[in-house]
Amino acid sequence: MAYQILDKGSIPEYLNGLPSVVEVLGKGKALDIEEVGDGNLNFVYKIRRADAPERSVVLKQAVPYLRMAGEEWPLSRDRMTFEIRALLAYNDLVPQFVPKVYHSDEDMSVLVMQNLDNHAVARYRMIEGEVFPNMARDVGDFLAETLFRTSTLGMESVERRHLMQQFNLNDELCKLTEEFIFTFPYMEHESNYSNPATDEYARATIRKNTAYKLDILKFKELFLTKTDALLHADLHTGSLMANAEETFVIDMEFAYFGPFGFDVGKVIANFLMCYTSHFYHSDDDSYQNWLLTEAMTIWKRFEQRFLELWDNADGSALLLEGFLTDDQLKEYKANFMRAIFHDSVGFCACSLARRTLGIAGVADIRDIEDLGIRSQLEITNLKLSQLLLSVHEEIHTIDELESTIESFYAENNPGLVKQKVGT
Ligand code: ADP
Ligand code: SR1
Ligand code: MG
């Protein structure tokens, strides 16, 4: 079908022509349609049968522009092609963690999928202080399964090259990442966010710090050149929908083959930004303690599951069984995981800065009205970004990372609770 932008008026007829969706919604039934897209790029509709609202689907469509900027910022809708391919790949690899696909159409840039109505977007609930008991464990498993099983350790090389081909043209979204994560935030740029005290701090530190900027370049180069595994590439707490039992990952339109540490570091950074925000949102540190423990659990679980998958693999493109002795293999694995760890810490640092200085912030902090309070939290994130980037190769274990972060926050508590109590 030729591309047309769907809306509440045209969606019923479109869905009625799709047998796999009719199986869920029935044919010709009255539908309640609600646009729920709170993301930066696309339109998302929840569609429920009026007489049986439990029968529902979600329709996501890409439009040929960047939603958050408006029609004057063109952006190819090819991004939906890559989201469709990634979601189908994830449905094979980790069906327990992603919505089912009822219908996809690359020409229409449309995906019709399972409505995760019993799950909430984690970011907003985490701002409220909700505990998700299994989320960090699930995210760690998701990372291990998807990264290992699309890497040269988990796949045969010819099959892997075919899979890579499906993603090697996600040019425009990779370019967005190059610019909005690895370039603009560290220089004066019209697209950057602005808050006077934060701007002043960034000008005086980040943008003058040569060592920091060279490290950012190192991670930009990794992003541009390394093809370790199929990445989600936009994994943050707004891409997680969870409840007390389950966790789902959504919104994989940035998918491409990139460095292992990128997904791991980004999602951990979002837990840390939530931690920072709770100097404002919480009256004590109990939720922050939970956040830090969970952020560390993501890595611990990822590492544990990745190594289990490796132990159980029969050989792969990279390593034929018997190529190394047991002792050599043990050392090789330890070095391999340490390199992913260093990269994850570095990408985490990049994410802390881009979400603070760049156009796309996190609601955890950007939604705080008081600019002064906001800038104290923003500066905290920028300090943490600089610290983590400067030590990313010196910290070798997750326990060292945890104690580094703990000490950092103990020394950089902005003291907002007192300020709030006083207001
Ligand atoms: P964008 O690509 O524009 O960032 P997202 O994929 O993040 O869009 O979706 C935007 C919002 O739509 C999510 O924050 C969530 O509220 C809702 N959403 C997306 N997919 C689903 C789904 N499968 N089930 C329920 N809600 C969803
Ligand atoms: C213009 S940058 C928009 C951002 O939103 C997405 O969620 C990605 O993180 C992207 O960098
Ligand atoms: Mg998106």
Side-chain angles (χ1 to χ4, degrees), residues 64-85:
Y65 57 88
L66 180 66
R67 177 180 183 167
M68 71 187 296
E71 292 187 38
E72 59 283 359
W73 190 319
L75 187 67
S76 152
R77 57 189 170 79
D78 289 348
R79 60 187 182 275
M80 182 51 71
T81 299
F82 300 101
E83 176 154 358
I84 289 168
R85 292 177 186 178

Short mmCIF file of all heavy atoms in Angstrom, two decimals, residues 64-85:
data_model
loop_
_atom_site.label_atom_id
_atom_site.label_comp_id
_atom_site.label_asym_id
_atom_site.label_seq_id
_atom_site.Cartn_x
_atom_site.Cartn_y
_atom_site.Cartn_z
N PRO A 64 7.26 11.74 7.87
CA PRO A 64 8.55 12.13 7.25
C PRO A 64 9.18 13.36 7.88
O PRO A 64 9.77 14.19 7.19
CB PRO A 64 8.18 12.35 5.78
CG PRO A 64 6.72 12.62 5.78
CD PRO A 64 6.13 11.98 6.98
N TYR A 65 9.04 13.51 9.17
CA TYR A 65 9.69 14.61 9.88
C TYR A 65 9.90 14.20 11.34
O TYR A 65 9.37 13.16 11.79
CB TYR A 65 8.88 15.91 9.78
CG TYR A 65 7.46 15.81 10.28
CD1 TYR A 65 7.15 16.04 11.61
CD2 TYR A 65 6.41 15.49 9.42
CE1 TYR A 65 5.85 15.95 12.08
CE2 TYR A 65 5.08 15.40 9.88
CZ TYR A 65 4.82 15.63 11.20
OH TYR A 65 3.53 15.52 11.67
N LEU A 66 10.66 15.00 12.05
CA LEU A 66 10.95 14.73 13.46
C LEU A 66 9.83 15.33 14.30
O LEU A 66 9.69 16.55 14.37
CB LEU A 66 12.30 15.38 13.81
CG LEU A 66 12.83 15.24 15.22
CD1 LEU A 66 13.17 13.80 15.55
CD2 LEU A 66 14.09 16.10 15.38
N ARG A 67 9.06 14.47 14.94
CA ARG A 67 7.87 14.95 15.63
C ARG A 67 8.18 16.05 16.64
O ARG A 67 7.47 17.04 16.73
CB ARG A 67 7.19 13.77 16.32
CG ARG A 67 5.98 14.21 17.13
CD ARG A 67 5.28 13.08 17.83
NE ARG A 67 4.11 13.65 18.50
CZ ARG A 67 3.12 12.94 19.00
NH1 ARG A 67 3.12 11.65 18.91
NH2 ARG A 67 2.11 13.54 19.59
N MET A 68 9.25 15.87 17.43
CA MET A 68 9.53 16.83 18.50
C MET A 68 9.91 18.21 17.96
O MET A 68 9.82 19.20 18.66
CB MET A 68 10.63 16.32 19.43
CG MET A 68 12.01 16.30 18.82
SD MET A 68 13.24 15.50 19.89
CE MET A 68 13.27 16.58 21.30
N ALA A 69 10.36 18.26 16.67
CA ALA A 69 10.78 19.55 16.11
C ALA A 69 9.73 20.12 15.17
O ALA A 69 9.72 21.33 14.90
CB ALA A 69 12.10 19.37 15.36
N GLY A 70 8.85 19.28 14.64
CA GLY A 70 7.82 19.75 13.74
C GLY A 70 8.16 19.47 12.28
O GLY A 70 9.24 18.98 11.96
N GLU A 71 7.20 19.83 11.40
CA GLU A 71 7.32 19.43 9.99
C GLU A 71 8.49 20.09 9.29
O GLU A 71 8.95 19.62 8.24
CB GLU A 71 6.02 19.77 9.24
CG GLU A 71 4.87 18.89 9.72
CD GLU A 71 3.61 19.07 8.91
OE1 GLU A 71 3.72 19.24 7.68
OE2 GLU A 71 2.52 19.05 9.52
N GLU A 72 9.01 21.18 9.87
CA GLU A 72 10.13 21.86 9.21
C GLU A 72 11.46 21.13 9.43
O GLU A 72 12.49 21.55 8.92
CB GLU A 72 10.22 23.34 9.60
CG GLU A 72 10.39 23.65 11.06
CD GLU A 72 9.09 23.51 11.87
OE1 GLU A 72 8.00 23.18 11.31
OE2 GLU A 72 9.18 23.72 13.08
N TRP A 73 11.45 20.02 10.21
CA TRP A 73 12.67 19.23 10.39
C TRP A 73 12.45 17.87 9.72
O TRP A 73 12.01 16.93 10.35
CB TRP A 73 12.98 19.05 11.87
CG TRP A 73 14.33 18.45 12.14
CD1 TRP A 73 14.94 17.43 11.45
CD2 TRP A 73 15.25 18.82 13.17
NE1 TRP A 73 16.16 17.15 11.98
CE2 TRP A 73 16.39 17.99 13.03
CE3 TRP A 73 15.22 19.77 14.19
CZ2 TRP A 73 17.47 18.07 13.88
CZ3 TRP A 73 16.30 19.84 15.03
CH2 TRP A 73 17.42 19.00 14.88
N PRO A 74 12.77 17.78 8.41
CA PRO A 74 12.51 16.52 7.70
C PRO A 74 13.35 15.37 8.26
O PRO A 74 14.50 15.57 8.64
CB PRO A 74 12.92 16.82 6.25
CG PRO A 74 13.34 18.23 6.19
CD PRO A 74 13.44 18.77 7.58
N LEU A 75 12.75 14.21 8.31
CA LEU A 75 13.47 13.00 8.76
C LEU A 75 12.83 11.83 8.03
O LEU A 75 11.60 11.63 8.14
CB LEU A 75 13.33 12.84 10.28
CG LEU A 75 14.15 11.71 10.90
CD1 LEU A 75 15.65 12.00 10.82
CD2 LEU A 75 13.77 11.52 12.37
N SER A 76 13.64 11.10 7.30
CA SER A 76 13.07 10.00 6.50
C SER A 76 12.31 9.03 7.40
O SER A 76 12.76 8.71 8.50
CB SER A 76 14.21 9.28 5.79
OG SER A 76 13.85 7.95 5.57
N ARG A 77 11.18 8.55 6.87
CA ARG A 77 10.39 7.59 7.68
C ARG A 77 10.97 6.18 7.59
O ARG A 77 10.41 5.24 8.15
CB ARG A 77 8.92 7.66 7.28
CG ARG A 77 8.66 7.40 5.83
CD ARG A 77 7.24 7.69 5.44
NE ARG A 77 7.12 7.65 4.00
CZ ARG A 77 7.04 6.54 3.29
NH1 ARG A 77 7.03 5.37 3.90
NH2 ARG A 77 6.94 6.59 1.97
N ASP A 78 12.14 6.04 6.91
CA ASP A 78 12.81 4.72 6.87
C ASP A 78 13.06 4.18 8.26
O ASP A 78 13.29 2.99 8.43
CB ASP A 78 14.19 4.83 6.19
CG ASP A 78 14.07 5.08 4.70
OD1 ASP A 78 12.95 4.94 4.18
OD2 ASP A 78 15.09 5.44 4.08
N ARG A 79 13.09 5.06 9.25
CA ARG A 79 13.36 4.59 10.62
C ARG A 79 12.40 3.48 11.03
O ARG A 79 12.77 2.59 11.80
CB ARG A 79 13.28 5.75 11.62
CG ARG A 79 11.94 6.48 11.68
CD ARG A 79 12.05 7.70 12.57
NE ARG A 79 10.81 8.46 12.75
CZ ARG A 79 10.38 9.39 11.91
NH1 ARG A 79 11.07 9.68 10.81
NH2 ARG A 79 9.25 10.04 12.15
N MET A 80 11.15 3.53 10.50
CA MET A 80 10.21 2.47 10.88
C MET A 80 10.60 1.13 10.28
O MET A 80 10.36 0.08 10.89
CB MET A 80 8.79 2.88 10.46
CG MET A 80 7.72 1.88 10.86
SD MET A 80 7.78 1.41 12.61
CE MET A 80 7.20 2.91 13.37
N THR A 81 11.24 1.16 9.10
CA THR A 81 11.73 -0.08 8.51
C THR A 81 12.67 -0.77 9.49
O THR A 81 12.60 -2.00 9.69
CB THR A 81 12.48 0.24 7.19
OG1 THR A 81 11.54 0.86 6.32
CG2 THR A 81 13.06 -1.00 6.56
N PHE A 82 13.53 0.01 10.12
CA PHE A 82 14.52 -0.60 11.03
C PHE A 82 13.87 -1.00 12.35
O PHE A 82 14.24 -2.00 12.96
CB PHE A 82 15.72 0.36 11.21
CG PHE A 82 16.37 0.61 9.88
CD1 PHE A 82 16.13 1.77 9.17
CD2 PHE A 82 17.13 -0.39 9.29
CE1 PHE A 82 16.68 1.97 7.91
CE2 PHE A 82 17.69 -0.21 8.03
CZ PHE A 82 17.46 0.98 7.33
N GLU A 83 12.87 -0.25 12.77
CA GLU A 83 12.15 -0.66 14.00
C GLU A 83 11.43 -1.99 13.75
O GLU A 83 11.46 -2.88 14.60
CB GLU A 83 11.16 0.43 14.44
CG GLU A 83 10.35 -0.01 15.65
CD GLU A 83 9.84 1.12 16.51
OE1 GLU A 83 10.13 2.29 16.22
OE2 GLU A 83 9.14 0.82 17.50
N ILE A 84 10.80 -2.09 12.57
CA ILE A 84 10.09 -3.34 12.25
C ILE A 84 11.08 -4.51 12.24
O ILE A 84 10.85 -5.55 12.86
CB ILE A 84 9.39 -3.21 10.88
CG1 ILE A 84 8.19 -2.25 10.96
CG2 ILE A 84 8.95 -4.59 10.36
CD1 ILE A 84 7.61 -1.83 9.61
N ARG A 85 12.21 -4.31 11.56
CA ARG A 85 13.18 -5.42 11.46
C ARG A 85 13.74 -5.79 12.83
O ARG A 85 13.91 -6.98 13.14
CB ARG A 85 14.32 -5.02 10.52
CG ARG A 85 13.83 -4.90 9.09
CD ARG A 85 14.94 -4.43 8.17
NE ARG A 85 14.40 -4.20 6.84
CZ ARG A 85 15.09 -3.75 5.81
NH1 ARG A 85 16.38 -3.49 5.95
NH2 ARG A 85 14.52 -3.55 4.63
#
